[in-house]
Amino acid sequence: KRTVTATVTLPGGEKVQGRLARIDNFLVTIQLEDGRLRTFRRDGEQPKIDINDPLEAHKALPGVLTDKDMHDVTAYLATLK
């Protein structure tokens, strides 16, 4: 199972790490190791949030591949049996 984690760095330098439970333009919620949830109000770039999503590169791939790349991959896959 994929686990997206996040580190929230508060203006005073305190860092809170855990599983990313929810994020939107106004709030970020982190599930701590002990299962408790901690929610932080977002105001622009504060607090700083670093998200680690193991599948991020896979999500970005369709935006990087050209139509030719996709046709080449499809043609290659069609040759496999």
Side-chain angles (χ1 to χ4, degrees), residues 42-63:
R42 298 181 67 192
D43 184 15
E45 297 296 315
Q46 293 296 325
K48 182 179 179 218
I49 302 167
D50 294 306
I51 297 174
N52 177 21
D53 183 350
L55 296 180
E56 187 61 38
H58 297 283
K59 292 178 185 175
L61 194 56

Side-chain angles (χ1 to χ4, degrees), residues 3-44:
T3 301
V4 178
T5 59
T7 302
V8 177
T9 305
L10 302 174
E14 177 188 359
K15 292 187 178 194
V16 179
Q17 295 178 305
R19 185 183 67 79
L20 181 63
R22 176 184 166 87
I23 189 167
D24 61 28
N25 290 334
F26 307 103
L27 301 171
V28 58
T29 301
I30 304 294
Q31 184 176 22
L32 305 175
E33 276 189 23
D34 63 7
R36 290 182 300 139
L37 295 175
R38 245 182 112 177
T39 300
F40 303 90
R41 184 175 307 279
R42 298 181 67 192
D43 184 15

